[in-house]
Amino acid sequence: MRTTKKYFGSLSFYKKVLFIALPVMAQQLIQNMVSLIDNFMVSGLGDIKMSGVNITGQILFIFMVFMNTVCMSGGIFMTQFSGAGDKEGMKQSFCFKLIFGFLATCIYSVVCFIFPRAFLRLMVIGNTQAPQILDVACVYMRLMGFIGFPMMISAAISSSLREIGKVKVPLVISVIATLINTFLNFVLIYGNLGAPRLEVRGAAYATIIARAVEMVLFLLYMAIKKPEFKASAKDFLHIDFALITKILKKGSMILFSEMLWVLSETVTTALYNGRGGADVVSGMAASFAIANLFFVSFGGITTSTGVIIGQTLGQGRLDEAREQKRYLLSAAVVFGIFMGAVGFCTLALVPIVFKNLSAASQHITNMMVALMATLMPLWVYVNTQFAVSRAGGDTALGMWVDGIVNLCFVLPGMFIMAFFTDFGPVAMYGIIKSSDIVKITIAHIRLKQEKWVNNLAQKRG
């Protein structure tokens, strides 16, 4: 009984965790359901067109990770300033997100509008149907360049609202935007309700309109409710460069970590895409569309852990934060097993959602979903470790973990398998992801050193 009390918190503690986590997970679940519906509708156009849309998704994925890194960096300080009641610090954290989010958007736009084929070609090296896939992908990618700015604004506002505990507002706005996206997909992809049949371009137009509406709703909320972090033009003219530098220093470590992870994911994707034709690309992409339904757990973990531990640290209650870390890591074990079981249940969706894909594509999808469900306990635990360290400003943990694992295990391992074995894409993915055990071990050692136990709000100035 004492052991249980040592490692698990009270029911009221976990209720607080779920109060923050569930709306975030619900928001992401709705978004991912719409993504799944998108994939379902596009899959009806065949393996090649679905493959074209999905290799474009890799470029969008890189932009989203970059943007999330910016928001995460500012969010470490936003949460602690919120706990300390420092409104000026909150505004400066929000300014950081907008300034560096704008720079990320500019890079994304250049890639989409000027160099789409050069980047997309890297994703289908060795694929037997690469030219046909690239023709579709370039059309889609040039249109998706228009969502960069709306996504940046929405990400900065929604992440900031979650970091101060207002988790329901992003959920409501997300529901509205996703419903619009789904309806327009139905109308524009296949030409329903008298609209022209636009196929892949229709999917892009639906996303552009939905993202624009989402941005407008967030801006209206900011104008009406004026949350504590709302910055004016005056705040941008009086930037606290010492604080921005401090955030950037912490953020640079997150960026290094996340970009290494993105590099490894992009390289692995490109290498297993070369293990066949459009059936491999569409099958692997379909598996991630399904897996995203249980990957929502990661967003809930990151937000709830960041808010709870970040605010506790910001209030100077360091011993309490140490206890919360134990409670959250113990719960992560249980939650990871539960989400793995949910993952296996989603296998029932494959023959329904992706019935229009080839039998080979569906087989790859089934195998990949089962594999990712099996790995969920590991992934939930390591994400909780990362969230704890970043809540206290120890962004170096991610840099060390991703640096060692990706540079020493993932990338060399993928190239060895690609050039010296005939393993299929699912086997390659499974073998390389076993390296996550190394990540957990390194993170465990780093957390025991307690470099994450910091009151960043007290240190401002």
Side-chain angles (χ1 to χ4, degrees), residues 1-9 14 327 330:
M1 192 70 176
R2 284 183 178 179
T3 303
T4 303
K5 286 184 178 179
K6 179 180 178 181
Y7 290 104
F8 289 92
Y14 289 118
Y327 300 159
S330 300

Side-chain angles (χ1 to χ4, degrees), residues 33-45 50 189-190 289 349 351-356:
M33 281 294 292
V34 171
S35 176
L36 186 62
I37 293 169
D38 286 356
N39 276 274
F40 165 68
M41 292 181 178
V42 174
S43 70
L45 303 173
M50 182 171 175
I189 292 177
Y190 290 101
L349 294 172
I352 300 171
V353 177
F354 296 111
K355 62 182 179 181
N356 292 316

